[in-house]
Amino acid sequence: MKKIFITVLLLLYFLKGFTQEEFELPKAKFITKIPFTQLMGSLIVVQATVDTSSTVLNFLLDTGSGGISLDSTTVEKLGFIVQPTEKVIRGIAGIRKVPFTYGHYLNFTNLRTDTFSFHINNYELLSSVYGVEINGIIGFSFLKKYIVKIDYDNFQIELYSPGTFKYPRGGYLMKPTFTTLPLPYFSLGVKNNSTISRFIFDTGAGLCFLLNKKFIKDKVLFRRKNKFYNTQAEGLGGKKEMDLAVVKLVSIGPYKFKNVPVYIFDDEFNATSYPNNAGIIGNDLLRRFNVILNYSEQEIYLKPNSKFSDPFDYSYTGLNIYLIDNRIVVGNVSKNSHADKAGLKEGDIIIAIDNNFSTNIQSIKLALQNAGSKLNVLISRNNKLEMIILDVANILQ
């Protein structure tokens, strides 16, 4: 009887092995390469056409988006049918209902995608912030269909079909929680007092970390001598007041970063779903790795790239600028900030910074990132030219 029992167990073991082999995933197959450009904060812009239109559109690649979307003005120009819905999207600055347009596909080199249901949003503010027309955002609906390799060294994205995939050596494999958004864990804090928390993995956020203020109150991430700088950022629903500070140590698996700039905000619309998530990790940190997104296996692979040791941006002015009608216009000026003390006001038009007379907002923002410097800012106010000396703070000091 004992021999029969052992024989049955062995038979079941081998049958189980054969069953596993029968359902093994096929190997992932390369589909295409897509070049990309980067905006301030290292946001990724890819170009594509929609349906049979020949108009080339700019899309942000955004792992922090739970769907895929088109700008409302773009939808109008393309003549797409708009369907009102009761569906809502939630962001750091608001909640809103969104209409949809259905059954459209994207065209990349050597790839026509399946059709998607695009929600419709107004990206005029984003376009003015970055000085580039933003026609849409590519998020979860697209990303879940492929294995996506983001190569920041060569500014290209590689797409593969889902399947068994061999990751390159020398990196770190994460197994985050997935909803429509990837939610990995990271460690933040000071040397002898750090906390491990879950964050939204967000390539569409042009910063290192965005932290929920309740998380900051619950965890001791800052010492008493830490300074906080009032500023403003843009998100879904509009503009949002925030504080800027520095976290002494961030750990991403085996990789450590010292003195990382972070933004802290009052999450009144619960965009981060605290306490489940502490905030957002953004692309100014993620760009230091070449990233492989494997949604079907719920895996993200990070490998340090040539930008791994790039310095962080420690500049602070309290100044927000926008490109409006091809002019660099001053928006919000944070109270008691360096820009406020220098005399800059909302509505001022920036003509030049030092010898930079460009109307390229990316170039002007780069000039403002010279921490610890004094800048000569030539402005136009009420049709009169005025020179203002602007001190750029270094938030590490």
Side-chain angles (χ1 to χ4, degrees):
M1 188 70 181
K2 186 176 181 181
K3 285 185 178 181
I4 294 172
F5 179 71
I6 292 171
T7 302
V8 171
L9 284 179
L10 288 171
L11 181 60
L12 287 172
Y13 174 81
F14 284 114
L15 284 174
K16 183 174 182 290
F18 289 134
T19 303
Q20 287 175 332
E21 290 179 358
E22 184 180 348
F23 291 103
E24 184 176 322
L25 289 173
K27 288 185 178 180
K29 293 182 179 180
F30 172 77
I31 298 172
T32 192
K33 292 181 181 180
I34 303 171
F36 68 81
T37 57
Q38 287 185 272
L39 304 176
M40 295 296 293
S42 302
L43 299 190
I44 297 169
V45 177
V46 298
Q47 293 189 321
T49 60
V50 180
D51 295 350
T52 58
S53 171
S54 60
T55 303
V56 178
L57 304 178
N58 295 318
F59 290 87
L60 294 180
L61 188 75
D62 185 2
T63 57
S65 169
I68 188 167
S69 64
L70 283 168
D71 170 63
S72 54
T73 302
T74 302
V75 168
E76 184 178 349
K77 288 179 179 177
L78 293 174
F80 291 166
I81 296 172
V82 177
Q83 298 287 345
T85 73
E86 293 300 311
K87 294 182 179 179
V88 298
I89 55 174
R90 186 188 304 269
I92 63 170
I95 302 172
R96 62 174 60 167
K97 290 182 181 180
V98 289
F100 275 74
T101 183
Y102 298 101
H104 304 291
Y105 57 88
L106 298 176
N107 301 292
F108 299 99
T109 303
N110 300 321
L111 174 65
R112 170 181 158 170
T113 70
D114 295 334
T115 56
F116 295 105
S117 299
F118 289 83
H119 71 261
I120 302 169
N121 210 342
N122 186 335
Y123 295 131
E124 183 180 3
L125 178 61
L126 275 181
S127 297
S128 67
V129 167
Y130 294 106
V132 173
E133 185 178 12
I134 303 300
N135 302 108
I137 290 177
I138 293 174
F140 175 76
S141 300
F142 175 91
L143 296 169
K144 70 179 180 179
K145 293 180 178 291
Y146 307 98
I147 296 174
V148 182
K149 180 180 179 182
I150 307 173
D151 183 348
Y152 292 97
D153 287 319
N154 297 300
F155 299 97
Q156 67 182 19
I157 293 165
E158 296 179 8
L159 298 182
Y160 297 82
S161 63
T164 56
F165 188 87
K166 186 176 181 180
Y167 296 109
R169 292 182 179 181
Y172 170 59
L173 180 63
M174 296 191 297
K175 299 284 285 186
T177 304
F178 270 77
T179 54
T180 55
L181 308 179
L183 305 168
Y185 286 87
F186 302 106
S187 173
L188 280 73
V190 293
K191 188 174 181 180
N192 297 317
N193 190 4
S194 61
T195 181
I196 297 174
S197 301
R198 198 170 70 174
F199 294 84
I200 299 169
F201 190 97
D202 191 355
T203 60
L207 40 74
C208 291
F209 275 96
L210 177 61
L211 306 179
N212 190 306
K213 185 175 284 188
K214 291 180 181 178
F215 168 70
I216 295 301
K217 289 181 179 179
D218 291 344
K219 309 294 182 182
V220 182
L221 292 184
F222 299 101
R223 295 168 178 161
R224 289 184 179 179
K225 64 180 182 180
N226 273 93
K227 292 182 180 179
F228 296 86
Y229 298 83
N230 180 253
T231 187
Q232 187 183 77
E234 295 78 22
L236 176 64
K239 303 168 186 177
K240 182 73 176 175
E241 293 289 325
M242 298 187 181
D243 288 324
L244 175 63
V246 174
V247 167
K248 290 296 182 182
L249 184 66
V250 170
S251 298
I252 299 177
Y255 310 112
K256 298 186 185 301
F257 298 92
K258 294 180 179 179
N259 298 322
V260 178
V262 298
Y263 289 84
I264 303 159
F265 79 120
D266 182 7
D267 190 4
E268 58 184 309
F269 300 102
N270 200 25
T272 58
S273 300
Y274 186 78
N276 295 319
N277 309 310
I280 291 168
I281 179 171
N283 221 39
D284 206 22
L285 195 54
L286 298 176
R287 70 176 180 85
R288 298 159 197 272
F289 303 89
N290 288 337
V291 178
I292 299 174
L293 305 169
N294 192 342
Y295 278 45
S296 62
E297 294 300 305
Q298 299 194 350
E299 295 176 345
I300 296 177
Y301 189 79
L302 304 178
K303 183 177 180 181
N305 61 28
S306 61
K307 300 168 179 61
F308 184 80
S309 299
D310 280 1
F312 292 106
D313 173 23
Y314 298 116
S315 63
Y316 170 76
T317 61
L319 177 68
N320 288 82
I321 58 174
Y322 305 92
L323 183 67
I324 301 173
D325 296 330
N326 205 35
R327 299 185 300 180
I328 308 296
V329 181
V330 173
N332 180 73
V333 178
S334 297
K335 190 176 180 180
N336 295 323
S337 68
H338 289 62
D340 184 29
K341 292 175 182 177
L344 285 161
K345 299 182 182 298
E346 185 172 353
D348 289 345
I349 299 168
I350 295 179
I351 305 299
I353 293 183
D354 289 341
N355 293 318
N356 184 352
F357 285 80
S358 173
T359 56
N360 182 322
I361 196 169
Q362 304 286 319
S363 173
I364 295 298
K365 285 187 174 183
L366 193 61
L368 291 168
Q369 288 183 353
N370 193 359
S373 66
K374 289 182 181 290
L375 301 176
N376 297 306
V377 182
L378 179 63
I379 66 164
S380 173
R381 180 185 296 163
N382 299 323
N383 295 318
K384 294 181 180 180
L385 294 180
E386 184 177 343
M387 183 67 76
I388 288 178
I389 308 300
L390 176 62
D391 288 323
V392 182
N394 185 333
I395 63 173
L396 271 183
Q397 297 176 351

